[in-house]
């Protein structure tokens, strides 16, 4: 165990983690690098240039004649995938904190750092991209010293592109990161930190052994679910899986035991032996708290069961996704899914389409509210259609977040205006270093769910970084805006919003839907309503046929008779005709300006 080192790479999005990981793999001769970001193996990750999943890989490294086993986990940097990072940190003893030499310390850098410090990880600061012409290593070094309280000598300067400083990083990992602590003779305790579904082998769980030893063929039990299995295969994670006969404390690897049901594997569970179980499970693992909720419905209602199976398989690979069944009058049966943010929601939708061939409609995303009734009861509502009658509601509380925004002083004015427009309140502002400022705001989560991050990026020209934490609930004056088509409410389009914004939002939604709903043989009235009060209306005009064309000469009453006949037909059609709302309309409501 003295020659094992488990470490992960943490950083803000786009600071070069995956490229640096490539150089480490190349330097330790683990694999030949044929293209950039070898660990990002999902098409989506390559297309977008971001890491979505954490990736574990083992490297062999020789330092001063001694062989070491290094287990590396490359983690995502976007705030929506911070749950992946927390799981990776739980399986490590050290972390490389990577900071971009051209951008300096960003909000997510600080957030991930605190997560690592809470788990007592050894932090190795690395300044990446020092080969860039606009790099400012001295200023960034000062920022890191101020943040970590370390000496400048401890900071390694490196470049993921040229490979400069990679040897120093590997030496620092061996010298500074402590080997894992554990007893090989004790009862088996292994933490599951990830799992994937393989259509031939079943569910493959990735684990880190804290105590004990596991051998091929052992009878094992999952502590929290109580399910028992045989370890058909155990091994280590190289670029492919490499089987081993035995693995001991401190090692990171995988187990295949022919599990077919996704519900039986819980990330954060503990694996132990059936014959000699451990006394308690490994603690310190947090349950995920979704921030954004949206309904996901199959376009073809017969695909409902397939969608359930697809979501279960996706949940194995992405434990921060939560879902439960729900039904809608407009869309039929589907699921109410919980996501960590809008990017997470977009990625899940893309993965359902690519990996499982599921065509789905996603409703307007919203957050969960606490509804207090006049009898003193309280109910958590994720969906506007689940809101009780206004007459029985005492008050509604909405979730607030504490947001930290780091930017240059040039953009303070426009960022403050954006936050105040979103009903935010400034708590404090402090200078981080030079002309960089950290702003702390309290903001309602419902206001930032849809387009806040995009607006922040555009007004700051990409120079603002954003991170947030849930900060409890506060009473708020909210209104439920319903959309009616020909007097029939479309429950999938109803939203909860602050009373002051309700009329403007209703008007914009009606205007947008008017553009997107195709014309029918009859007039379609699009209305926005709060309760029984209509606050906005638009009409999609009917497609008319000139029935009087064949009428020439004679009395005007002949024309009138034909027009009356057409009118009656239109009226009857309106009663039995139903209006199809295209998927574009649901998506357009998210992009309302």
């Amino acid at each position: 165990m003295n020659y094992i080192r488990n470490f992960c790479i943490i950083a803000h999005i786009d600071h070069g983690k995956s490229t640096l990981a490539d150089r480490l793999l190349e330097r330790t001769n683990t694999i030949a690098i044929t293209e950039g970001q070898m660990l990002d193996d999902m098409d989506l990750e390559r297309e977008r240039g971001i890491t979505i999943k954490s990736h574990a890989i083992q490297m062999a490294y020789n330092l001063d004649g001694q062989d070491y086993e290094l287990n590396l986990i490359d983690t995502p940097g976007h705030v929506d995938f911070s749950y992946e990072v927390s799981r990776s940190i739980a399986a490590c003893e050290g972390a490389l904190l990577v900071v971009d030499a051209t951008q300096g310390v960003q909000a997510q850098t600080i957030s991930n750092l605190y997560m690592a410090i809470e788990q007592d990880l050894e932090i190795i600061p690395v300044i990446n991209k020092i080969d860039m012409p606009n790099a400012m290593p001295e200023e960034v070094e000062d920022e890191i010293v101020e943040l970590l309280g370390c000496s400048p000598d401890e900071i390694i300067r490196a470049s993921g592109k040229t490979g400069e400083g990679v040897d120093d990083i590997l030496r620092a990992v061996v010298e500074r990161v402590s080997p894992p602590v554990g007893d090989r003779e004790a009862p088996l305790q292994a933490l599951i930190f990830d799992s994937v579904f393989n259509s031939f082998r079943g569910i493959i769980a990735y684990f880190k052994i804290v105590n004990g030893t596991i051998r091929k063929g052992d009878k094992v039990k999952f502590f929290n679910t109580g399910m028992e299995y045989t370890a058909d295969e155990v091994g280590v994670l190289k670029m492919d899986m490499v089987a081993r006969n035995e693995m001991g404390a401190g090692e990171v690897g995988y187990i295949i035991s022919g599990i077919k049901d996704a519900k039986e594997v819980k990330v954060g569970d503990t694996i132990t032996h059936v014959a000699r179980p451990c006394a308690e499970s490994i603690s310190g693992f947090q349950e995920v708290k979704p921030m954004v909720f949206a309904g996901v419905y199959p376009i073809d209602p017969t695909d409902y069961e397939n969608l359930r199976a697809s979501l279960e398989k996706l949940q194995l690979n992405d434990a921060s996704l939560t879902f439960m069944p729900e039904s809608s009058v407009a869309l039929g049966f589907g699921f109410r899914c919980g996501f960590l943010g809008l990017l997470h929601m977009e990625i899940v939708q893309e993965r359902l389409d690519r990996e499982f061939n599921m065509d789905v409609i996603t409703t307007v995303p919203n957050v969960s509210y606490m509804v207090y009734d006049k009898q003193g009861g309280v109910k958590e509502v994720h969906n506007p259609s689940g809101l009780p009658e206004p007459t029985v509601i005492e008050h509604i509380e909405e979730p607030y977040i504490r947001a930290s925004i780091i930017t240059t002083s040039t953009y303070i004015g426009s960022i403050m205006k954006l936050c105040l427009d979103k009903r935010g309140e400034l708590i404090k502002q402090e200078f981080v270093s030079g002309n960089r400022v950290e702003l702390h705001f309290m903001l309602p989560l419902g206001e930032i769910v849809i387009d806040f991050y995009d607006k922040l990026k555009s007004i700051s020209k990409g120079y603002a970084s954003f991170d947030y934490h849930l900060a409890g609930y506060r009473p708020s004056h909210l209104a439920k805006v319903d959309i009616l088509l020909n007097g029939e409410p479309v429950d999938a389009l109803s939203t909860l919003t602050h009373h002051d914004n309700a009329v403007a939002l209703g008007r914009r939604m009606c205007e947008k839907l008017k553009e997107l709903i195709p014309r029918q043989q009859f007039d379609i009235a699009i209305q926005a309503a709060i309760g029984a009060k209509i606050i906005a209306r638009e009409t999609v005009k009917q497609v008319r046929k000139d029935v009087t064309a064949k009428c020439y000469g004679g009395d005007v009453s002949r024309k009138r008779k034909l027009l009356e006949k057409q009118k009656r037909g239109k009226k009857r059609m309106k009663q039995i005709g139903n209006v199809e709302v295209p998927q574009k309309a649901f998506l357009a409501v998210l992009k309302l300006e």
Side-chain angles (χ1 to χ4, degrees), residues 414-424 443 447 501:
S414 49
I415 288 175
M416 277 194 171
K417 183 180 182 309
L418 172 69
C419 293
L420 295 172
D421 287 349
K422 297 279 186 189
R423 299 191 285 127
L443 284 157
E447 292 281 346
N501 307 338

Side-chain angles (χ1 to χ4, degrees), residues 68 89 281 315 356 463-464:
Y68 289 91
I89 285 172
S281 61
Q315 197 177 33
F356 303 101
Y463 278 102

Side-chain angles (χ1 to χ4, degrees), residues 544-545 547-548 556-572:
R544 308 246 352 209
K545 180 184 170 191
V547 289
T548 60
V556 73
S557 59
R558 290 176 64 198
K559 281 190 179 175
R560 200 166 289 141
K561 190 175 164 190
L562 287 167
L563 289 169
E564 282 297 327
K565 188 179 173 189
Q566 184 188 34
K567 202 173 177 181
R568 285 197 301 273
K570 297 270 183 200
K571 193 174 174 186
R572 194 165 60 246

Side-chain angles (χ1 to χ4, degrees), residues 172-447:
V173 167
V174 170
E175 290 173 356
R176 294 193 218 168
V177 176
S178 55
V181 183
D183 179 2
R184 290 185 86 108
E185 304 306 318
L188 175 68
Q189 260 185 322
L191 172 77
I192 300 178
F193 66 88
D194 204 354
S195 54
V196 292
F197 180 79
N198 181 306
S199 44
F200 301 108
R201 317 283 311 262
I203 290 157
I204 303 168
Y206 297 165
F207 60 75
K208 178 202 174 184
I209 303 177
V210 177
N211 288 311
T213 311
I214 187 168
R215 294 176 185 82
K216 183 180 174 180
D218 280 357
K219 283 260 186 269
V220 294
K221 161 169 114 169
F222 287 16
F223 200 91
N224 291 336
T225 57
M227 306 297 277
E228 299 183 2
Y229 307 101
T230 304
D232 298 335
E233 187 182 306
V234 292
V236 295
L237 297 154
K238 298 267 180 155
M239 207 57 195
D240 295 315
M241 296 182 290
V242 181
R244 292 266 180 90
N245 286 326
E246 180 182 322
M247 291 177 72
E251 292 193 85
V252 173
Y254 69 91
I255 177 168
I256 299 175
S257 46
I259 306 168
K260 292 284 184 282
D261 189 355
K263 295 191 191 76
E264 293 174 22
V265 179
K266 291 264 189 294
V267 169
D269 203 347
T270 303
I271 304 175
T272 187
H273 280 130
V274 173
R276 190 175 162 223
C278 56
E280 56 183 25
S281 61
I282 300 164
S283 62
F285 194 83
Q286 295 169 338
E287 271 295 310
V288 60
K289 185 102 178 89
M291 295 281 191
V292 177
F293 296 88
V296 174
Y297 294 86
I299 286 177
D300 180 356
T302 55
D303 280 342
Y304 175 73
E305 282 303 325
N306 295 348
L307 179 59
R308 181 199 292 275
S310 305
L311 283 168
E312 280 177 0
K313 286 172 188 169
L314 197 53
Q315 197 177 33
L316 269 181
N317 198 239
D318 180 358
S320 49
L321 169 68
T322 61
F323 65 91
M324 57 190 184
E326 75 163 6
S327 62
S328 144
V329 183
L331 299 169
F333 291 102
F335 296 92
R336 170 108 327 218
C337 297
F339 307 97
L340 294 184
L342 270 197
L343 177 69
H344 184 213
M345 174 176 143
E346 212 177 300
I347 295 293
V348 166
Q349 214 176 333
E350 280 274 312
R351 288 183 69 184
L352 280 173
D353 181 29
R354 292 183 184 204
E355 295 172 29
F356 303 101
N357 253 345
M358 293 301 308
D359 281 338
V360 294
I361 287 180
T362 311
T363 63
V364 183
N366 58 345
V367 297
S368 58
Y369 297 92
M370 290 297 183
V371 180
Y372 290 81
D373 60 31
K374 288 177 178 168
Q375 277 75 45
V378 60
K379 180 185 177 188
E380 190 173 358
V381 173
H382 302 309
N383 190 349
S385 62
L387 208 62
E389 286 299 312
T391 48
V392 300
I393 296 174
E394 176 66 38
H395 69 279
I396 302 176
E397 291 189 356
E398 63 175 333
Y400 267 70
I401 56 160
R402 187 188 174 106
S404 137
I405 299 169
I406 297 180
T407 182
T408 53
S409 49
T410 324
Y411 305 109
I412 289 182
S414 49
I415 288 175
M416 277 194 171
K417 183 180 182 309
L418 172 69
C419 293
L420 295 172
D421 287 349
K422 297 279 186 189
R423 299 191 285 127
E425 56 187 74
L426 181 66
I427 301 170
K428 63 173 180 179
Q429 86 182 59
E430 51 194 5
F431 279 85
V432 182
S433 65
N435 70 337
R436 296 177 53 148
V437 185
E438 184 171 9
L439 304 169
H440 292 270
F441 274 94
M442 286 297 274
L443 284 157
L445 181 60
E447 292 281 346

